[in-house]
Amino acid sequence: MEGEETYLELFLARCAAQDDLAPPRSPLLSPIVPYDVYIPNSSNPETTFNSQLEEVTETSGNFSSVDLSFLPDELTQEDKDQTLIRSKHETEENCKTKSWQSGLPLPSQQDVGLALNSSGGSNSHSHLHPGDADSAQPSPEKPLSLPLASITPMTPVTPVSECSGIVPQLQNIVSTVNLACKLDLKKIALHAKNAEYNPKRFAAVIMRIREPRTTALIFSSGKMVCTGAKSEELSRLAARKYARVVQKLGFPARFLDFKIQNMVGSCDVRFPIRLEGLVLTHQQFSSYEPELFPGLIYRMVKPRIVLLIFVSGKVVLTGAKERSEIYEAFENIYPILKGFKKT
Amino acid sequence: MNNTAASPMSTATSSSGRSTGKSVSFAAELQSMMFSLGDSRRPLHETAVLVEDVVHTQLINLQAAEVSQLRGARVISAEDLLFLIRKDKKKLRRLLKYMFFRDYKSKIVKGIDEDDLLEDKLSGSNNANKRQKIAQDFLNSIDQTGELLAMFEDDEIDEVKQERMERAERQTRIMDSAQYAEFCESRQLSFSKKASKFRDWLDCSSLEIKPNVVAMEILAYLAYETVAQLVDLALLVRQDMVTKAGDPFSHAISATFIQYHSSAESTAACGGEAHSDAIQPCHIREAVRRYSHKIGPLSPFTSAYRRNGMAFLAC
């Protein structure tokens, strides 16, 4: 416990020094990213926070030889995550200006409760101005409650009248990373658990791990594809675990150019949609061939996302490189879908 | 029913003796398909059987096997079918768009499910845009005037498809959600979903040269297009048959039906149908007759594939 507490202090000190918010980091480490689910976690902030730290210490410990190459990645990742969190919060703020639909009652109640908790804190400012230096040292239990705490926006936000109140859930993330060393696939397949290698069929090792439940394709050039994770952080974590496995087998594996290639999200608008009407009015974007595929394929231009829209009201969004693109695409399509609601 | 009346189908030899004792029948599926294409909620069984017959005859008479034989190939492939359709620009374009859409859809669906992604990688061959490549390579090889290749860039609106979309939209607007759910299910029916039944229906096993997978997809698509065309035309015919007050040509139009309806009663029966009722076999027959009888100065020269004196609806 000693070691972990000091690590916590160091961690928080580092974050404060960088003018970063410690709180947004913890939700990212949480395995369940959609915030309508992780709010219940905030009731046990200490344990969840510490368990995240355990994971971090564990992984960082074993990569003692390649720690340095990790750090730059993490720093830039944090910046990127800040913008993601910011845009996510903006959408959240927009939603709050309108009364919530019955779809997500739990988060809104929790929001109000948490807002009351930290309404006095300076942290409510820091959400909309994360660059500000006045993000004071928050105590461990605050972090997880903060992201949704602020109900009164500090900057005037134009209310989006058609805000959906529905958040697409990420289903699959495909990422690539370069281990930067030539690999002997046969050796990997022989010594690693859960590895398949059939050179006649495909020139890569297929490895799977249970936590996070993902699959990786490892090529002899050192490049690796990781699929199946449900969030960006999980994909990154899984990729690091695979890299560690390769490292343990004696290869000088590094962790270069980690990049998310594709993100898939899905959600349900909860009403049936009249696809014939949609394909007619949005001809230049949509294709609908029910004999071939039961869903309508909608190619949104901005952001460049492909949406599969089904009669039942389920929507699948794919082709995103960032989470914000999925949210934005869904917010764009929602009013259109409402127009074709089948009563 | 094939051998009665001056039906163009009776000239085709393969259709005789087929109406009874046929084990594989798509009549039930066809009824659903016709509903999804614009027919009433419960299309008539006789109409479905007739449509099945027409489609079957047309596909058999494509004689794609002969084309492959000419080529010296061992299987009927997509190229042979593309060759047969090359004359009709609009239909060719529609077929190409269908093929591209199929490629595009598999690409997207693959990206969503990680298992699909792995399977595709494991299968080794580069499956992306497979059909598009086949089509492009082939048209490249036979194109003399550059017209066919221009088709790939062609972005004109397909009027027939547009009309079908509008009709579907009108139909679905007035449905409630239960009816709409049923409609959607019917729309999803296709010949390609029942591939093995489709193969038996076409009696592929008796052919020397069999079609490959992509060719079967195209054949299923052609069958579906034929049904769609028949419904389109039959709806037009039915609309014509309803005598509108003040229409100056109504007496002339009704004259074309005389060969089928000997008695005044059946004319009245056909003509008196409300719009919402099902398409009758007489509509279908009239539609086929009109389609194969192209009026115009160049009609003997326009249709290049009148092997048995029958025009092809799908191509």
Side-chain angles (χ1 to χ4, degrees), chain A residues 10-162:
Chain A
L10 279 172
F11 180 77
L12 292 172
R14 177 161 61 111
C15 292
Q18 291 165 9
D19 276 345
D20 279 344
L21 259 184
R25 248 195 97 63
S26 41
L28 294 175
L29 289 177
S30 150
I32 317 158
V33 176
Y35 48 80
D36 61 337
V37 181
Y38 74 53
I39 287 186
N41 275 346
S42 63
S43 52
N44 276 333
E46 283 290 339
T47 46
T48 28
F49 202 60
N50 282 342
S51 65
Q52 307 316 322
L53 288 178
E54 275 166 26
E55 248 179 64
V56 173
T57 37
E58 181 195 44
T59 50
S60 57
N62 286 338
F63 281 103
S64 47
S65 60
V66 296
D67 251 342
L68 293 174
S69 71
F70 278 124
L71 281 175
D73 269 353
E74 283 182 318
L75 283 175
T76 50
Q77 180 73 357
E78 270 178 24
D79 286 343
K80 238 182 13 179
D81 292 335
Q82 286 306 312
T83 43
L84 288 176
I85 288 291
R86 215 177 297 145
S87 57
K88 195 161 112 171
H89 286 167
E90 270 164 17
T91 7
E92 261 300 296
E93 297 301 341
N94 294 343
C95 288
K96 285 191 180 90
T97 57
K98 181 190 171 213
S99 56
W100 284 79
Q101 293 179 4
S102 60
L104 294 172
L106 180 60
S108 58
Q109 287 165 13
Q110 292 271 15
D111 280 353
V112 172
L114 294 164
L116 292 175
N117 277 345
S118 58
S119 53
S122 58
N123 295 310
S124 56
H125 291 260
S126 55
H127 289 297
L128 297 161
H129 307 284
D132 280 358
D134 63 51
S135 60
Q137 283 269 5
S139 50
E141 57 265 16
K142 289 291 181 182
L144 294 166
S145 62
L146 283 173
L148 292 176
S150 171
I151 278 201
T152 50
M154 301 312 291
T155 49
V157 178
T158 349
V160 178
S161 53
E162 296 283 342

Side-chain angles (χ1 to χ4, degrees), chain A residues 274-276 283 299 342, chain B residues 104 169 172 175 180 187:
Chain A
R274 199 164 62 89
L275 297 177
E276 280 78 11
Q283 269 181 60
R299 263 174 285 198
K342 187 78 197 139
Chain B
Y104 183 65
E169 203 267 327
T172 52
M175 290 182 187
Y180 184 61
R187 272 204 83 168

Side-chain angles (χ1 to χ4, degrees), chain A residues 270-274 311-313 337 340-343, chain B residues 177 180:
Chain A
R270 307 233 175 88
F271 53 77
I273 305 170
R274 199 164 62 89
V311 180
S312 57
L337 295 182
F340 290 102
K341 180 171 173 172
K342 187 78 197 139
T343 45
Chain B
S177 47
Y180 184 61

Side-chain angles (χ1 to χ4, degrees), chain B residues 13-33:
Chain B
T13 48
S14 59
S15 59
S16 53
R18 255 215 50 229
S19 46
T20 50
K22 191 85 180 78
S23 51
V24 184
S25 172
F26 273 108
E29 285 91 346
L30 277 173
Q31 276 177 295
S32 280
M33 252 188 247

Side-chain angles (χ1 to χ4, degrees), chain A residues 308-327:
Chain A
L308 303 179
I309 304 167
F310 297 86
V311 180
S312 57
K314 301 257 190 319
V315 180
V316 174
L317 307 98
T318 176
K321 292 273 195 296
E322 295 187 359
R323 184 190 287 250
S324 57
E325 289 175 2
I326 295 207
Y327 295 147

Side-chain angles (χ1 to χ4, degrees), chain A residues 172 174 201-202 206 208 213-215 217 219 225 227-229 262 264 272-277 279-280 283 287-295 297 299 306 308 311 316 318 342-343, chain B residues 98 101-102 104-105 108-109 111-115 117-118 121-124 157 161-162 165-166 168-170 172-177 180-181 183-184 187-190 192-193 221 224:
Chain A
N172 184 21
V174 177
R201 278 183 85 194
F202 188 47
I206 303 167
R208 294 172 220 270
R213 207 176 78 78
T214 49
T215 308
L217 298 176
F219 295 83
V225 178
T227 66
N262 185 26
V264 179
I273 305 170
R274 199 164 62 89
L275 297 177
E276 280 78 11
V279 75
L280 199 59
Q283 269 181 60
S287 336
Y288 179 42
E289 304 278 344
E291 321 87 68
L292 266 187
F293 187 61
I297 299 185
R299 263 174 285 198
V306 174
L308 303 179
V311 180
V316 174
T318 176
K342 187 78 197 139
T343 45
Chain B
Y98 175 82
F101 183 80
R102 250 203 128 110
Y104 183 65
K105 167 225 142 196
I108 293 186
V109 172
I112 291 181
D113 195 5
E114 55 166 303
D115 296 325
L117 178 71
L118 282 180
K121 294 253 190 263
L122 287 172
S123 65
I157 298 180
K161 222 163 164 88
Q162 180 78 12
M165 279 204 287
E166 284 169 13
E169 203 267 327
R170 260 178 282 135
T172 52
R173 217 185 296 159
I174 51 175
M175 290 182 187
D176 67 14
S177 47
Y180 184 61
F183 180 79
C184 281
R187 272 204 83 168
Q188 288 168 27
L189 271 177
S190 83
S192 50
K193 290 224 171 74
Y221 166 75
Y224 186 80

Side-chain angles (χ1 to χ4, degrees), chain B residues 96-281:
Chain B
L96 289 173
K97 286 215 172 105
Y98 175 82
M99 287 167 80
F100 302 163
F101 183 80
R102 250 203 128 110
D103 281 335
Y104 183 65
K105 167 225 142 196
S106 12
K107 191 161 68 161
I108 293 186
V109 172
K110 207 171 54 189
I112 291 181
D113 195 5
E114 55 166 303
D115 296 325
D116 280 347
L117 178 71
L118 282 180
E119 245 178 65
D120 177 71
K121 294 253 190 263
L122 287 172
S123 65
S125 60
N126 185 14
N127 283 333
N129 293 348
K130 158 175 89 167
R131 298 170 190 87
Q132 185 170 4
K133 285 201 190 100
I134 294 175
Q136 261 173 340
D137 292 339
F138 179 68
L139 288 181
N140 226 325
S141 64
I142 65 170
D143 194 8
Q144 305 272 338
T145 57
E147 282 182 307
L148 295 173
L149 287 177
M151 203 127 2
F152 287 97
E153 285 95 49
D154 202 353
D155 234 359
E156 260 173 50
I157 298 180
D158 189 346
E159 291 141 2
V160 177
K161 222 163 164 88
Q162 180 78 12
E163 208 184 295
R164 284 186 203 156
M165 279 204 287
E166 284 169 13
R167 192 187 314 138
E169 203 267 327
R170 260 178 282 135
Q171 229 179 335
T172 52
R173 217 185 296 159
I174 51 175
M175 290 182 187
D176 67 14
S177 47
Q179 286 175 333
Y180 184 61
E182 209 186 308
F183 180 79
C184 281
E185 267 195 50
S186 311
R187 272 204 83 168
Q188 288 168 27
L189 271 177
S190 83
F191 288 102
S192 50
K193 290 224 171 74
K194 313 239 169 147
S196 51
K197 189 172 172 188
F198 187 58
R199 280 190 99 99
D200 291 337
W201 188 62
L202 284 178
D203 210 11
C204 284
S205 41
S206 64
L207 286 175
E208 282 172 17
I209 306 182
K210 301 195 199 329
N212 69 6
V213 174
V214 184
M216 280 307 287
E217 283 174 8
I218 298 184
L219 282 173
Y221 166 75
L222 288 177
Y224 186 80
E225 265 297 301
T226 313
V227 177
Q229 280 265 6
L230 277 175
V231 173
D232 284 346
L233 295 170
L235 286 173
L236 272 176
V237 167
R238 190 176 68 183
Q239 200 177 28
D240 278 346
M241 281 168 109
V242 173
T243 52
K244 294 177 274 282
D247 184 2
F249 293 110
S250 54
H251 61 280
I253 290 171
S254 55
T256 57
F257 298 112
I258 287 176
Q259 43 181 280
Y260 296 114
H261 313 299
S262 45
S263 62
E265 301 159 343
S266 38
T267 329
C270 275
E273 306 272 289
H275 279 295
S276 55
D277 274 8
I279 297 179
Q280 308 280 328

